[in-house]
Amino acid sequence: MTPVGTRLFQEFRRGDRRALARAISLVENQVPGFQAFLHGALGLGSRARRVGFTGPPGAGKSTLVSAVASAARAAGEEVGILAVDPTSPFSGGALLGDRIRMQELALDPGVFIRSMATRGSLGGLADSSMEILDLLDAFGFPLVLVETVGVGQTELEIAGTADTTVVVLVPESGDSIQAMKAGLMEIADIFVVNKADRPGARRLARDVQMSLHLRGGGASASSWSPPVLLAEGQRGEGVAELMEALEAHREHLVVSGELQRRRRARAEDRVRRVVERELVRMAREVMKGSGIRERVDLVVEGGETPYSLAHRMIEDLLESPPPRGIPEPG
Amino acid sequence: MTPVGTRLFQEFRRGDRRALARAISLVENQVPGFQAFLHGALGLGSRARRVGFTGPPGAGKSTLVSAVASAARAAGEEVGILAVDPTSPFSGGALLGDRIRMQELALDPGVFIRSMATRGSLGGLADSSMEILDLLDAFGFPLVLVETVGVGQTELEIAGTADTTVVVLVPESGDSIQAMKAGLMEIADIFVVNKADRPGARRLARDVQMSLHLRGGGASASSWSPPVLLAEGQRGEGVAELMEALEAHREHLVVSGELQRRRRARAEDRVRRVVERELVRMAREVMKGSGIRERVDLVVEGGETPYSLAHRMIEDLLESPPPRGIPEPG
């Protein structure tokens, strides 16, 4: 299994956009060999700044992501964007407009956009999202943006793996304060109160600031205090301030050593995820094996329990493990 | 590891309620040996009818569960109830009233109620819920009810492991039709439109019936066509009809062989879950081992990737597996 020598990898390495798109599909669909490809891609090095955007649906995240991408382009930087949307097609509407705006941005050859909604066959959306971000990074984009729709557990997990996480709120999202309690406060490096022309924007910004104050209690663990910005993404207002805040947070990350700490935590989490996904895959291989149907019948009839049968299967797996799906080192 | 001989197991087997409560805590907290206890408990046999209740928050599920439990008690049956609530304490309110009603029911020594909100350390809420239902069953309750708050993926999973799944809707839950599309239609054996005195109840019942009709297309795979009942749980209206529907579905399950099919699918799913949780636990043991910190540092520095390191760890695990946490058969 040496996909590093394959044509796709060579094209990916040369910067061929179609090869990137195909590599992402490979990873998204977990085509056999995808982990070897990722291993090779990660060997090309990592230099991207990764910025995550999350917040309640309808907060205008796509608009803000587009604005940040445009600003980066104006500064001559290429940008890779991943939009993760696990919600059903029923939810959209407002979204569609944002996506169309994003599609305009996609006409710029300096911007690469991919959206994903499906879960991989194993390991879920978070694993696949992180692997696609790695591909965008390895491909060479100096700036990689990831946007998640909504504030579910998985979505917070994904946005939280970025170097900098931007939480976008809007005045009328009545749930925002509650949502903040559900983990947003913990992952936010920067808050943006979007659609700031609407009533209640300043009040919301004050509330967030207050919560931060109550919670933070001075420069304890971190010397970074998340700014709360006002913006109107649609009109481009507040985007310059957001770019400055992103830059300031970047500098903080590097100077404080926090970047290194986050990358280490991310690496550890990734190793754990890869190990667990692979073991689950191996277990499913074993469970496909002969005699399983009869054994499960014994559970129903009462001769075995799920625990005694699971014990046997794990012994089977340890004794004659199925072929591994991740590459040998080196 | 032979907890079957322990005092707790003997007390559990004798029908001591305090032993049941302690056994549930053992399982909920995944105290070492909990799987051996479950293995022993499952050996005591299984005879409970299991009925699951799910639906959007505020649909009055607890009230309906209490009413069904009371009706079963009036018929001389003992009842075990598990209420699964993964939502944050912020959501409740209406709920509290229902819970108080349930607490009154709990004064009846023929009723055992347990609610759980926390996830186990490994494997999540669904695994633990299923194991607690097994305990209630093994303890000897002929009727076991499980109620999940909300219609998230995990909650549908839990309610769907019952023999019969009741989906509770209310007229004003605007999301109900959308929720139905998100999996409720697939798992419902019986629909209850609760709070049927409110406007829109009959219309909702008709809509559900229509959806079922469009979707079903006659007696294809199953000869069961889910009834759509109207109820006012608070006043006890419609409860007799629900009891009849539960009985009718039970008969259908037995006669059609569907009960056997569902139990087989449940057993297979349970084996898979136990195997996967145990492998993940073993992997975490291995990852705690010496040298891991240094290896993760190599991932950050670029000498390894998560894939090459995961490969090594899986080889480590296969070569010298940590002690297993599930009992040997026999």
Side-chain angles (χ1 to χ4, degrees):
Chain A
M1 209 179 343
T2 55
V4 171
T6 63
R7 191 162 154 193
L8 181 61
F9 191 82
Q10 294 310 328
E11 289 169 353
F12 177 90
R13 187 178 201 161
R14 273 205 309 271
D16 182 332
R17 290 289 174 91
R18 280 165 311 174
L20 171 59
R22 280 171 56 212
I24 291 176
S25 296
L26 188 85
V27 165
E28 193 175 3
N29 300 318
Q30 304 190 351
V31 175
F34 79 100
Q35 298 188 106
F37 192 97
L38 282 161
H39 174 70
L42 287 170
L44 299 176
S46 160
R47 61 182 191 116
R49 287 170 295 134
R50 296 178 183 208
V51 182
F53 292 79
T54 192
K61 291 181 293 293
S62 293
T63 313
L64 218 52
V65 167
S66 301
V68 167
S70 297
R73 287 299 295 136
E77 249 182 357
E78 304 212 327
V79 187
I81 303 176
L82 176 65
V84 182
D85 185 359
T87 55
S88 75
F90 303 110
S91 71
L95 271 181
L96 211 60
D98 294 336
R99 284 290 141 78
I100 286 164
R101 206 165 304 116
M102 243 196 209
Q103 275 163 25
E104 284 169 19
L105 190 66
L107 296 176
D108 177 346
V111 177
F112 181 92
I113 303 180
R114 180 78 167 227
S115 60
M116 77 176 290
T118 49
R119 283 148 213 286
S121 51
L122 274 178
L125 201 56
D127 287 7
S128 293
S129 298
M130 291 173 199
E131 290 178 326
I132 293 172
L133 292 179
D134 281 345
L135 282 181
L136 293 173
D137 187 344
F139 190 77
F141 289 107
L143 181 63
V144 169
L145 308 179
V146 56
E147 174 207 345
T148 64
V149 175
V151 291
Q153 185 55 42
T154 304
E155 291 163 289
L156 290 187
E157 228 170 274
I158 296 167
T161 60
D163 301 326
T164 301
T165 303
V166 180
V167 169
V168 186
L169 301 170
V170 273
E172 67 266 34
S173 67
D175 294 335
S176 48
I177 298 295
Q178 182 161 333
M180 274 159 35
K181 286 179 177 156
L184 285 182
M185 290 301 267
E186 281 64 38
I187 65 160
D189 298 305
I190 297 169
F191 283 97
V192 176
V193 174
N194 202 13
K195 305 185 184 177
D197 53 324
R198 301 196 184 173
R202 276 169 201 287
R203 200 210 150 112
L204 173 60
R206 250 195 337 268
D207 286 351
V208 173
Q209 213 115 39
M210 185 78 78
S211 304
L212 284 170
H213 198 74
L214 287 172
R215 175 174 155 275
S220 53
S222 167
S223 55
W224 178 258
S225 143
V228 183
L229 310 175
L230 291 165
E232 291 176 53
Q234 296 252 19
R235 295 176 49 213
E237 303 231 345
V239 174
E241 289 78 4
L242 175 55
M243 297 305 285
E244 275 168 34
L246 288 173
E247 189 54 41
H249 187 249
R250 183 74 190 175
E251 205 177 304
H252 159 75
L253 287 176
V254 174
V255 171
S256 66
E258 176 70 9
L259 184 61
Q260 198 65 6
R261 203 198 58 78
R262 288 192 183 188
R263 292 208 158 151
R264 209 191 171 286
R266 193 159 77 199
E268 201 165 329
D269 178 63
R270 291 296 305 282
V271 172
R272 188 181 56 71
R273 286 171 179 273
V274 175
V275 167
E276 290 178 4
R277 182 175 61 185
E278 180 62 9
L279 286 173
V280 166
R281 194 195 60 76
M282 287 167 70
R284 296 205 178 164
E285 281 296 313
V286 169
M287 289 185 70
K288 274 194 227 150
S290 63
I292 295 312
R293 294 189 65 84
E294 292 71 26
R295 285 168 163 189
V296 172
D297 285 339
L298 278 176
V299 172
V300 178
E301 289 155 21
E304 293 248 27
T305 73
Y307 304 93
S308 59
L309 185 46
H311 180 94
R312 283 185 218 277
M313 293 190 139
I314 287 171
E315 298 311 309
D316 285 359
L317 186 145
L318 293 173
E319 245 168 62
S320 43
R324 263 69 91 202
I326 45 179
E328 300 218 21
Chain B
M1 208 176 350
T2 56
V4 171
T6 63
R7 189 161 156 195
L8 181 61
F9 191 81
Q10 294 310 326
E11 290 169 353
F12 177 89
R13 188 176 200 164
R14 274 205 309 272
D16 182 331
R17 289 290 173 88
R18 280 163 311 173
L20 171 59
R22 280 171 54 211
I24 291 176
S25 296
L26 188 85
V27 165
E28 193 175 2
N29 300 318
Q30 305 190 350
V31 175
F34 79 101
Q35 299 188 105
F37 192 97
L38 282 161
H39 174 70
L42 287 170
L44 300 176
S46 160
R47 61 182 190 115
R49 288 170 294 133
R50 298 181 182 204
V51 181
F53 292 79
T54 190
K61 291 180 294 292
S62 294
T63 313
L64 219 51
V65 166
S66 302
V68 166
S70 297
R73 287 298 296 135
E77 250 182 359
E78 304 213 325
V79 187
I81 303 176
L82 176 65
V84 183
D85 184 359
T87 55
S88 74
F90 302 112
S91 70
L95 270 183
L96 212 59
D98 294 336
R99 285 290 140 80
I100 286 165
R101 208 164 302 117
M102 243 195 210
Q103 276 164 25
E104 283 168 20
L105 190 66
L107 295 176
D108 176 347
V111 177
F112 180 92
I113 303 180
R114 178 79 169 227
S115 60
M116 75 177 289
T118 49
R119 283 144 213 288
S121 53
L122 273 177
L125 200 56
D127 287 7
S128 294
S129 299
M130 291 172 199
E131 289 178 327
I132 292 172
L133 293 178
D134 281 346
L135 282 181
L136 293 173
D137 187 346
F139 190 76
F141 290 108
L143 181 62
V144 169
L145 309 178
V146 56
E147 174 207 344
T148 63
V149 175
V151 290
Q153 184 57 40
T154 304
E155 292 164 289
L156 290 187
E157 229 169 273
I158 296 166
T161 60
D163 301 326
T164 302
T165 303
V166 180
V167 169
V168 185
L169 301 171
V170 273
E172 67 267 33
S173 68
D175 294 336
S176 50
I177 297 296
Q178 182 162 332
M180 276 161 30
K181 287 180 179 156
L184 286 182
M185 289 302 266
E186 281 64 38
I187 66 159
D189 297 306
I190 297 168
F191 282 96
V192 175
V193 174
N194 202 13
K195 306 186 183 176
D197 53 326
R198 300 196 184 172
R202 278 168 199 287
R203 199 209 150 111
L204 174 59
R206 248 193 341 266
D207 285 351
V208 173
Q209 212 114 40
M210 184 77 81
S211 303
L212 284 170
H213 197 74
L214 288 172
R215 174 174 156 273
S220 51
S222 166
S223 56
W224 178 259
S225 144
V228 182
L229 309 175
L230 291 164
E232 289 176 56
Q234 296 252 19
R235 297 176 48 213
E237 303 230 348
V239 174
E241 289 78 3
L242 175 55
M243 296 306 283
E244 275 168 34
L246 288 173
E247 189 52 42
H249 187 249
R250 183 72 189 176
E251 204 179 303
H252 159 75
L253 286 177
V254 173
V255 171
S256 67
E258 175 71 8
L259 184 61
Q260 198 64 8
R261 201 196 61 75
R262 287 193 184 186
R263 292 209 158 150
R264 207 190 173 287
R266 193 161 77 198
E268 200 166 328
D269 178 62
R270 292 295 305 282
V271 173
R272 187 180 57 70
R273 285 172 181 272
V274 175
V275 167
E276 290 178 4
R277 182 176 60 185
E278 179 62 10
L279 286 172
V280 165
R281 195 196 58 76
M282 287 167 70
R284 295 202 181 166
E285 281 297 313
V286 170
M287 289 185 72
K288 273 193 226 150
S290 64
I292 295 309
R293 294 189 64 84
E294 292 69 27
R295 284 169 164 190
V296 172
D297 285 339
L298 278 175
V299 172
V300 179
E301 288 155 21
E304 292 250 25
T305 74
Y307 305 93
S308 58
L309 185 46
H311 180 95
R312 282 186 220 275
M313 296 192 134
I314 287 171
E315 298 312 309
D316 286 358
L317 185 143
L318 294 173
E319 244 167 63
S320 43
R324 263 69 93 204
I326 45 179
E328 299 221 20

